[in-house]
Amino acid sequence: MTFDRSIKIAPSILAADFANFGAECEAIEAQGADWVHVDVMDGHFVPNITFGPAMCAAIRPHIKGVMDVHLMISPVDPYIDAFAKARADFITAHVEATPHIHRTLQAIRDAGVKAGVALNPGTPASAVAELLDMVDLICVMTVNPGFGGQKFIDMSAKIRELRAMIGDRPIHIEIDGGVDPKTAPLVALAGADVLVAGSAAFKGGSVSDPAPYGENIRAIRAAAEGTYV
């Protein structure tokens, strides 16, 4: 997987048809999605329960590109191997979810998976200052995690700070929460390159009528690229 900072759109299957995940993954990729984002929630670290390793393993054959697994769970470490065996390309853990995030990131990399670290809106960029040589991705939450469809929280200053900290390291900055054509330019201009979109990507479409997925993805990408530097 060659690193680049071009804008990548990563639809979150949290907004997809739960009864038809395999076909939904195929449909969004066919309509221009760069990555497929999987929001894993445990009802403990966040107030919702979604998917586990078995579901990730089930949809993996339906995903040609990147499967981006975002663990909103605590503890994290006991589940890393299962998600690695499900062939996740990225596994992202929250800095707030474990007292030993350094060890967690090392375990993800030891499992042969690219390691991501996520920051809730109330967590400063400085929380990952000592982790930059251990991560492949930093996920900036622009909503408080737990549910889709929430209102965007502007984290532009944090994104700019992270981008300056990263320098020339090959680290993606991912944005998760409330991304749509209106908010995409804000985060892209600040330095983000991976935009997770849930309802904004899936709205108006279905497996039987996937064209709106493509229209949505193109609109978000065009908005982001219009100001991306």
Side-chain angles (χ1 to χ4, degrees), residues 11 24-34 201 206 209-218 221:
E24 288 276 50
C25 291
E26 292 176 2
I28 57 173
E29 282 195 323
Q31 291 295 323
D34 301 291
S206 65
D209 180 24
Y213 296 168
E215 294 169 7
N216 297 337
I217 290 167
R218 287 190 294 275
R221 191 189 308 280

Short mmCIF file of all heavy atoms in Angstrom, two decimals, residues 11 24-34 201 206 209-218 221:
data_model
loop_
_atom_site.label_atom_id
_atom_site.label_comp_id
_atom_site.label_asym_id
_atom_site.label_seq_id
_atom_site.Cartn_x
_atom_site.Cartn_y
_atom_site.Cartn_z
N PRO A 11 -16.33 5.63 3.23
CA PRO A 11 -17.68 5.50 3.76
C PRO A 11 -17.75 4.55 4.96
O PRO A 11 -17.11 3.49 4.96
CB PRO A 11 -18.46 4.94 2.56
CG PRO A 11 -17.69 5.41 1.37
CD PRO A 11 -16.26 5.33 1.80
N GLU A 24 -23.34 -3.99 0.07
CA GLU A 24 -23.13 -2.56 0.30
C GLU A 24 -21.66 -2.20 0.11
O GLU A 24 -21.33 -1.16 -0.50
CB GLU A 24 -23.59 -2.18 1.71
CG GLU A 24 -25.10 -2.17 1.91
CD GLU A 24 -25.74 -0.88 1.46
OE1 GLU A 24 -25.47 -0.43 0.32
OE2 GLU A 24 -26.54 -0.31 2.25
N CYS A 25 -20.74 -3.04 0.62
CA CYS A 25 -19.31 -2.77 0.46
C CYS A 25 -18.93 -2.78 -1.02
O CYS A 25 -18.18 -1.92 -1.49
CB CYS A 25 -18.49 -3.82 1.22
SG CYS A 25 -18.60 -3.68 3.02
N GLU A 26 -19.46 -3.74 -1.75
CA GLU A 26 -19.17 -3.81 -3.19
C GLU A 26 -19.73 -2.58 -3.91
O GLU A 26 -19.08 -2.02 -4.80
CB GLU A 26 -19.77 -5.09 -3.77
CG GLU A 26 -19.08 -6.35 -3.27
CD GLU A 26 -19.74 -7.62 -3.77
OE1 GLU A 26 -20.72 -7.52 -4.55
OE2 GLU A 26 -19.29 -8.71 -3.39
N ALA A 27 -20.91 -2.16 -3.50
CA ALA A 27 -21.57 -1.03 -4.16
C ALA A 27 -20.81 0.28 -3.94
O ALA A 27 -20.58 1.05 -4.88
CB ALA A 27 -23.01 -0.88 -3.68
N ILE A 28 -20.37 0.53 -2.70
CA ILE A 28 -19.69 1.80 -2.45
C ILE A 28 -18.31 1.84 -3.11
O ILE A 28 -17.88 2.89 -3.59
CB ILE A 28 -19.59 2.14 -0.95
CG1 ILE A 28 -18.87 1.05 -0.16
CG2 ILE A 28 -20.95 2.43 -0.38
CD1 ILE A 28 -18.60 1.43 1.29
N GLU A 29 -17.64 0.69 -3.17
CA GLU A 29 -16.36 0.67 -3.88
C GLU A 29 -16.57 0.91 -5.37
O GLU A 29 -15.81 1.66 -6.00
CB GLU A 29 -15.63 -0.65 -3.65
CG GLU A 29 -14.95 -0.74 -2.29
CD GLU A 29 -13.94 -1.86 -2.22
OE1 GLU A 29 -14.19 -2.94 -2.81
OE2 GLU A 29 -12.89 -1.69 -1.58
N ALA A 30 -17.59 0.27 -5.92
CA ALA A 30 -17.87 0.45 -7.34
C ALA A 30 -18.23 1.90 -7.66
O ALA A 30 -18.00 2.39 -8.77
CB ALA A 30 -19.00 -0.47 -7.78
N GLN A 31 -18.75 2.60 -6.65
CA GLN A 31 -19.16 4.00 -6.84
C GLN A 31 -18.07 4.98 -6.44
O GLN A 31 -18.33 6.19 -6.35
CB GLN A 31 -20.44 4.27 -6.04
CG GLN A 31 -21.68 3.56 -6.60
CD GLN A 31 -22.06 4.06 -7.97
OE1 GLN A 31 -21.94 5.24 -8.28
NE2 GLN A 31 -22.51 3.16 -8.83
N GLY A 32 -16.86 4.51 -6.18
CA GLY A 32 -15.74 5.43 -5.99
C GLY A 32 -15.15 5.53 -4.61
O GLY A 32 -14.23 6.34 -4.40
N ALA A 33 -15.62 4.73 -3.65
CA ALA A 33 -15.02 4.78 -2.31
C ALA A 33 -13.58 4.30 -2.37
O ALA A 33 -13.26 3.33 -3.06
CB ALA A 33 -15.82 3.92 -1.34
N ASP A 34 -12.70 4.97 -1.64
CA ASP A 34 -11.30 4.57 -1.58
C ASP A 34 -11.06 3.52 -0.50
O ASP A 34 -10.31 2.56 -0.71
CB ASP A 34 -10.42 5.79 -1.30
CG ASP A 34 -10.58 6.86 -2.36
OD1 ASP A 34 -10.14 6.62 -3.50
OD2 ASP A 34 -11.16 7.92 -2.07
N ALA A 201 -22.48 9.75 2.82
CA ALA A 201 -22.09 8.89 1.69
C ALA A 201 -23.24 8.01 1.23
O ALA A 201 -23.42 7.77 0.04
CB ALA A 201 -20.89 8.04 2.07
N SER A 206 -29.10 2.81 -2.40
CA SER A 206 -29.29 1.45 -1.89
C SER A 206 -28.51 0.52 -2.80
O SER A 206 -28.00 0.94 -3.86
CB SER A 206 -30.77 1.08 -1.89
OG SER A 206 -31.26 1.04 -3.23
N ASP A 209 -30.05 0.64 -6.03
CA ASP A 209 -29.91 1.94 -6.68
C ASP A 209 -28.68 2.65 -6.11
O ASP A 209 -28.80 3.61 -5.33
CB ASP A 209 -31.17 2.77 -6.44
CG ASP A 209 -31.09 4.15 -7.10
OD1 ASP A 209 -30.32 4.30 -8.09
OD2 ASP A 209 -31.78 5.07 -6.63
N PRO A 210 -27.47 2.20 -6.50
CA PRO A 210 -26.26 2.72 -5.88
C PRO A 210 -25.76 4.04 -6.45
O PRO A 210 -24.82 4.62 -5.90
CB PRO A 210 -25.24 1.61 -6.14
CG PRO A 210 -25.68 1.01 -7.45
CD PRO A 210 -27.19 1.08 -7.43
N ALA A 211 -26.35 4.52 -7.53
CA ALA A 211 -25.84 5.74 -8.16
C ALA A 211 -25.73 6.91 -7.19
O ALA A 211 -24.76 7.68 -7.26
CB ALA A 211 -26.72 6.11 -9.36
N PRO A 212 -26.70 7.10 -6.27
CA PRO A 212 -26.55 8.21 -5.31
C PRO A 212 -25.29 8.09 -4.45
O PRO A 212 -24.74 9.12 -4.04
CB PRO A 212 -27.82 8.12 -4.46
CG PRO A 212 -28.83 7.53 -5.39
CD PRO A 212 -28.06 6.51 -6.18
N TYR A 213 -24.82 6.87 -4.18
CA TYR A 213 -23.57 6.71 -3.44
C TYR A 213 -22.44 7.41 -4.18
O TYR A 213 -21.63 8.13 -3.58
CB TYR A 213 -23.20 5.24 -3.26
CG TYR A 213 -24.15 4.39 -2.44
CD1 TYR A 213 -24.03 3.01 -2.44
CD2 TYR A 213 -25.15 4.96 -1.66
CE1 TYR A 213 -24.87 2.21 -1.69
CE2 TYR A 213 -26.01 4.16 -0.91
CZ TYR A 213 -25.85 2.78 -0.93
OH TYR A 213 -26.70 1.98 -0.19
N GLY A 214 -22.36 7.17 -5.47
CA GLY A 214 -21.31 7.78 -6.28
C GLY A 214 -21.43 9.29 -6.32
O GLY A 214 -20.42 10.00 -6.22
N GLU A 215 -22.65 9.78 -6.43
CA GLU A 215 -22.87 11.23 -6.44
C GLU A 215 -22.42 11.85 -5.12
O GLU A 215 -21.76 12.91 -5.09
CB GLU A 215 -24.34 11.53 -6.69
CG GLU A 215 -24.83 11.11 -8.08
CD GLU A 215 -26.34 11.16 -8.21
OE1 GLU A 215 -27.00 11.65 -7.25
OE2 GLU A 215 -26.87 10.69 -9.23
N ASN A 216 -22.75 11.18 -4.02
CA ASN A 216 -22.37 11.68 -2.70
C ASN A 216 -20.85 11.69 -2.52
O ASN A 216 -20.27 12.66 -2.02
CB ASN A 216 -23.01 10.81 -1.60
CG ASN A 216 -24.52 10.86 -1.61
OD1 ASN A 216 -25.13 11.80 -2.11
ND2 ASN A 216 -25.16 9.82 -1.07
N ILE A 217 -20.21 10.58 -2.90
CA ILE A 217 -18.76 10.46 -2.75
C ILE A 217 -18.05 11.52 -3.61
O ILE A 217 -17.11 12.18 -3.14
CB ILE A 217 -18.30 9.04 -3.12
CG1 ILE A 217 -18.77 8.05 -2.05
CG2 ILE A 217 -16.78 8.97 -3.28
CD1 ILE A 217 -18.64 6.58 -2.46
N ARG A 218 -18.51 11.69 -4.84
CA ARG A 218 -17.89 12.69 -5.71
C ARG A 218 -18.07 14.10 -5.17
O ARG A 218 -17.17 14.93 -5.28
CB ARG A 218 -18.46 12.57 -7.14
CG ARG A 218 -17.98 11.34 -7.89
CD ARG A 218 -18.36 11.39 -9.35
NE ARG A 218 -19.80 11.30 -9.56
CZ ARG A 218 -20.49 10.16 -9.64
NH1 ARG A 218 -19.86 8.99 -9.52
NH2 ARG A 218 -21.79 10.17 -9.86
N ARG A 221 -15.61 14.54 -2.27
CA ARG A 221 -14.24 14.61 -2.78
C ARG A 221 -13.98 15.97 -3.46
O ARG A 221 -12.95 16.60 -3.22
CB ARG A 221 -13.98 13.47 -3.76
CG ARG A 221 -12.49 13.32 -4.12
CD ARG A 221 -12.28 12.33 -5.25
NE ARG A 221 -12.91 11.05 -5.06
CZ ARG A 221 -12.41 10.06 -4.31
NH1 ARG A 221 -11.26 10.24 -3.69
NH2 ARG A 221 -13.05 8.92 -4.19
#
